Amino acid sequence: MINEITPLEQYKIKDKTVHVKRDDLMGDGVEHPPWGKLTALREVLKTINPQKPLIHLSVFGSWSGWALAEVAKELDYEFIMAYPDSKKFPKRIIEKSENVLPIKPNMMNVMYNKVGQIAREKDYIRLPYAFDHLVYIKTQKQRLQEVKKELEFDHLVVSSGSGVTCLGMMMEHEPWPQLFDTGNTRTFHTVCVSGVDTIKKKFKKYGIEPTEQVEIVKSEFEFDDMMDWYETPFPCNEFWDKKAWYWLEQNIDKFKGEILSLIHISEPTRPRLISYAVFCLK
């Protein structure tokens, strides 16, 4: 069972109160991965309502294969998890799926195209890259709406990989002047470890450009830098979350206003790294 009611916790950075939305508790870490994308993935699968087998490329650093295997099982859909046949890929994720398809490790786009080729040949349905689906984005918007019922905020800080998940949240946050709110000072900041241009391209597809109120930040740390020397006050993975929290600590003084907020999406791989969280700063 996916837990959609998750707590809002509080931490301190200097004199700021940081509210942490523990959406990692959406999954129990046993049946479902501790991951805040579960409801959005479920809605995408229900919308597709496939009459053919689904296939998806699960890569190192992502819970997606495990999550989709469990959600597809609940919805009685046939699912095949393709994955790079490498010692680095976690066995515990492979074991979560009844149907797996190892493929030769390669660059992401090469493996993704290979899965597309297999889907065409076998008459499977390949899920969109990074779940770039209107229903997925809409569900992330709705998730932020639920947070806003508990807490109002001015500034939203979100970690990102492809930019798809944070896109829905940014759309709900609306960090830009509006017809009846020309003095809108809300801001959005996404901290990434991948290419900034990739995220810019994703935002541009929806008519959004970087401005003083929309900032894309490239972390000073690489994706595979585990930052073992740095500790966070809550469970936090080293691939994305830790880098975003570090950036927030270093830049907390730049935020002006009565209430600040940070929404942060994690996708941990190692068993002890179990946090998907929403942070709101006050």
Side-chain angles (χ1 to χ4, degrees), residues 12-276:
K12 282 282 189 178
I13 297 181
K14 295 184 178 180
D15 60 340
K16 307 291 185 181
T17 299
V18 184
H19 299 262
V20 180
K21 178 68 170 172
R22 292 293 307 277
D23 268 7
D24 58 300
L25 299 177
M26 195 176 283
D28 59 6
V30 179
E31 181 179 0
H32 294 92
W35 202 31
K37 298 181 181 181
L38 292 172
T39 55
L41 294 185
R42 182 180 61 195
E43 294 308 307
V44 170
L45 295 196
K46 287 168 64 177
T47 299
I48 294 174
N49 189 22
Q51 305 303 310
K52 305 174 184 178
L54 293 164
I55 189 169
H56 173 73
L57 174 64
S58 182
V59 296
F60 176 68
S62 175
W63 287 131
S64 61
W66 177 3
L68 287 167
E70 290 299 329
V71 174
K73 188 187 305 180
E74 293 168 10
L75 297 174
D76 198 26
Y77 298 154
E78 185 176 352
F79 172 70
I80 302 160
M81 184 185 76
Y83 69 94
D85 191 9
S86 165
K87 292 181 180 180
K88 186 170 69 171
F89 195 86
K91 290 184 179 179
R92 66 192 297 262
I93 293 181
I94 299 173
E95 293 168 354
K96 293 295 182 179
S97 183
E98 295 178 358
N99 300 312
V100 297
L101 178 64
I103 61 175
K104 183 179 179 180
N106 210 319
M107 299 292 289
M108 173 70 79
N109 63 331
V110 174
M111 292 191 294
Y112 185 70
N113 289 336
K114 178 63 177 178
V115 171
Q117 177 187 341
I118 294 170
R120 290 189 297 272
E121 293 174 352
K122 301 289 187 178
D123 200 24
Y124 298 156
I125 298 174
R126 181 182 64 174
L127 290 169
Y129 177 70
F131 310 114
D132 190 359
H133 190 287
L134 289 177
V135 169
Y136 179 88
I137 294 170
K138 179 182 177 182
T139 306
Q140 296 297 357
K141 289 180 65 176
Q142 292 170 339
R143 192 65 187 167
L144 183 57
Q145 288 173 9
E146 293 302 312
V147 175
K148 289 165 68 175
K149 291 177 182 178
E150 298 183 65
L151 182 71
E152 295 181 1
F153 52 86
D154 294 320
H155 308 286
L156 178 63
V157 183
V158 189
S159 71
S160 59
S162 66
V164 175
T165 301
C166 70
L167 176 65
M169 295 179 177
M170 176 171 55
M171 288 177 170
E172 173 61 27
H173 185 51
E174 297 182 314
W176 38 69
Q178 298 174 27
L179 182 60
F180 299 106
D181 188 13
T182 56
N184 174 7
T185 58
R186 291 190 295 272
T187 66
F188 170 87
H189 313 263
T190 185
V191 182
C192 68
V193 293
S194 55
V196 170
D197 288 342
T198 299
I199 298 173
K200 283 183 178 179
K201 184 177 180 181
K202 183 61 60 181
F203 289 178
K204 188 173 183 179
K205 177 181 176 181
Y206 292 86
I208 301 170
E209 299 278 359
T211 64
E212 290 185 358
Q213 290 175 258
V214 177
E215 180 183 22
I216 302 173
V217 180
K218 178 69 167 67
S219 172
E220 63 187 275
F221 303 101
E222 296 299 322
F223 172 78
D224 56 359
D225 184 341
M226 297 294 101
M227 299 175 66
D228 292 331
W229 51 272
Y230 177 66
E231 295 185 3
T232 54
F234 49 86
C236 195
N237 84 79
E238 289 95 334
F239 297 106
W240 286 278
D241 292 4
K242 183 176 279 192
K243 296 167 177 70
W245 188 259
Y246 178 86
W247 180 87
L248 180 61
E249 281 195 336
Q250 302 304 307
N251 291 273
I252 192 70
D253 293 331
K254 73 183 289 182
F255 296 102
K256 307 297 181 182
E258 295 184 0
I259 300 177
L260 307 170
S261 53
L262 166 70
I263 296 235
H264 192 138
I265 304 138
S266 71
E267 198 163 356
T269 298
R270 294 192 282 180
R272 67 184 182 86
L273 308 176
I274 60 169
S275 178
Y276 165 103

